[in-house]
Amino acid sequence: MGKKTNLTGLSRFLPQDFINPNATSLSEKPQNQSGSTKKRKTDTHVPVRTKYDATALVPHYTTTHEVPENLQKYFSQRKRYFSLYDQGCLLDEEGWYSVTPENIAVQIADRCRCDTILDSFCGVGGNAIAFAKTCEHVIALDISPTRLALARHNAAIYGVADRIEFILADYISFANAYLSRPHSTRNIDVVFLSPPWGGPGYISPSENHASADNNVDFQDELEAHSQYSLSRIQPIHGADLFRLTKRISDNIAYFLPRNTDLNEISALGLLEKDEGVTPDDKPQMIEVEEEWMGSKLKALTCYFGGLVAGQEHVF
C-alpha cells in the first residue's frame, strides 16, 4: 500500500493495544478495477446530466433565496463541500450538515490508500468520491435510498461512479453478514467510520439545541466547556461500533466531532485485547489528526492500525 509522509493535519499520538484481525472477504467482484480515474473537467455552470441523474429527488439550489432558512448557513459553504457543486451536485437536508468538506475528505483519502475501502456511512458521497481517487475499490453503504442515489449522482459528476459499489444497507447488519461469510479472496483493507453524531446540535449536551445551532459564538463557547461522548454516536455506542469494526480490519479511520473526549479515544485501544499479546510486544498507537478549514477546527480523524504514521508495517 502506498503511503505519503507529508501530513497536512496536526496530529497527537496516544498509546494503544490491538487485537489481531478476524476478517473475511467479499466474494463479489467489483464492477471496475481497471486503471486510474479521470477527473471531470468543465468550465460551464450548467448541471451535468448522467445516467445516474437524481435531480428529481431533491432541489439543486442556485441562489440563497431558494434555500430554507435552516440550511442557508450550509449553502454558503457549498463549494467547500463539493468544488463541482455548480455542475449539479445534490444534497438532502441531512447531507447539508453532515457531508465532509472536500479538502478534508481528500486529506483523509490520501491517508487511507489501499485496494478496498469500506465507507460505512457514505451519506451523499463526499468521502466515497475522494476514496475513489486513491483506492482501487470503494464499498459505500447507506440506509437511505435517497442519499445513496445522491451519492451515486455526485460520484458520476466527479467521474468516479464506476469505482464505487453502492449498497443500500445499514452498517451493523452488513458487518455481521460480512463476518459470517466463509473466507474468500478479497478482504476489506480499511474501514472509514463517519457515523451520525446526533444532528447539527451535537455540540450541546442538552436536548434543546436551538440556541447553540443558530449562534456560532455561543456554540464555540459551549464547546469549550463540554466534551463529546462516544455514547452519543448513532446507531450504537461509538465504542461498540469500533469493537465491531475491528473484527473486519485493524485499519480504521474514525471521523469524530472536534470536541470528542480524548480519554475515550485512548480507551478504544483497550477494547477486545488479543489474548496472544505478550508483555514484550510493543504497544501500537492511535493517531488523532485535527481537521482544519482555515482557522476553524472542524473535526478529528482518529487513525488505527497501519494507517498511523510510522506504523505502516502493521497494515
Side-chain angles (χ1 to χ4, degrees):
M1 183 187 75
K3 286 286 184 181
K4 295 185 178 180
T5 57
N6 55 324
L7 308 183
T8 61
L10 176 64
S11 301
R12 291 188 288 264
F13 293 86
L14 303 170
Q16 187 216 17
D17 294 318
F18 277 91
I19 63 169
N20 289 329
N22 181 24
T24 55
S25 302
L26 292 176
S27 58
E28 293 86 353
K29 298 294 184 182
Q31 295 298 314
N32 190 321
Q33 289 186 348
S34 59
S36 60
T37 62
K38 295 182 179 179
K39 185 174 180 179
R40 182 181 300 274
K41 296 182 179 180
T42 179
D43 57 2
T44 177
H45 295 309
V46 177
V48 173
R49 296 292 183 259
T50 74
K51 65 179 179 179
Y52 299 131
D53 187 12
T55 53
L57 297 179
V58 296
H60 175 77
Y61 302 120
T62 58
T63 60
T64 303
H65 76 270
E66 299 174 338
V67 184
E69 184 177 357
N70 66 315
L71 297 180
Q72 287 187 1
K73 65 179 181 179
Y74 304 109
F75 177 72
S76 67
Q77 304 294 315
R78 60 194 180 281
K79 293 293 187 68
R80 289 188 171 185
Y81 300 150
F82 290 108
S83 62
L84 298 185
Y85 178 83
D86 285 343
Q87 308 310 314
C89 291
L90 298 173
L91 302 90
D92 65 347
E93 181 168 341
E94 182 173 324
W96 277 109
Y97 63 75
S98 63
V99 66
T100 303
E102 185 170 300
N103 286 347
I104 294 176
V106 168
Q107 160 67 12
I108 295 170
D110 190 57
R111 297 290 305 274
C112 293
R113 292 177 179 272
C114 65
D115 289 333
T116 300
I117 187 168
L118 172 62
D119 184 353
S120 52
F121 302 88
C122 80
V124 295
N127 289 102
I129 290 169
F131 290 138
K133 298 177 182 180
T134 64
C135 302
E136 289 298 317
H137 183 59
V138 182
I139 302 169
L141 307 181
D142 204 274
I143 61 173
S144 166
T146 296
R147 283 194 295 277
L148 204 66
L150 299 181
R152 189 169 66 169
H153 170 102
N154 294 333
I157 289 174
Y158 278 82
V160 296
D162 62 335
R163 301 178 69 85
I164 306 173
E165 183 179 355
F166 297 94
I167 300 177
L168 179 65
D170 74 275
Y171 174 61
I172 307 304
S173 298
F174 177 91
N176 287 322
Y178 174 88
L179 292 166
S180 68
R181 297 173 74 94
H183 185 75
S184 58
T185 58
R186 182 159 62 92
N187 290 321
I188 292 174
D189 303 301
V190 174
V191 180
F192 176 65
L193 290 176
S194 182
W197 296 347
Y202 70 88
I203 292 296
S204 172
S206 67
E207 292 299 323
N208 183 5
H209 305 304
S211 58
D213 190 32
N214 295 326
N215 187 315
V216 175
D217 292 334
F218 178 77
Q219 186 181 45
D220 289 343
E221 181 181 354
L222 179 63
E223 180 182 1
H225 296 89
S226 65
Q227 288 185 315
Y228 182 89
S229 171
L230 295 179
S231 64
R232 297 179 62 194
I233 291 291
Q234 300 173 3
I236 61 176
H237 193 294
D240 294 331
L241 188 69
F242 178 83
R243 181 185 290 111
L244 174 64
T245 302
K246 199 155 167 47
R247 295 177 59 200
I248 296 175
S249 175
D250 276 347
N251 307 310
I252 300 169
Y254 207 159
F255 192 67
L256 292 168
R258 58 196 175 191
N259 61 325
T260 302
D261 186 347
L262 291 181
N263 290 323
E264 290 194 32
I265 296 174
S266 181
L268 293 178
L270 302 177
L271 296 176
E272 301 242 353
K273 282 188 176 181
D274 180 15
E275 295 179 356
V277 172
T278 67
D280 294 331
D281 289 332
K282 293 182 179 180
Q284 293 184 9
M285 307 294 289
I286 302 171
E287 181 180 354
V288 181
E289 180 178 84
E290 296 180 339
E291 308 295 0
W292 292 79
M293 291 293 293
S295 61
K296 187 72 172 179
L297 176 61
K298 304 298 288 187
L300 304 176
T301 307
C302 306
Y303 295 102
F304 300 83
L307 299 180
V308 175
Q311 198 168 273
E312 295 87 348
H313 61 281
V314 304
F315 191 91

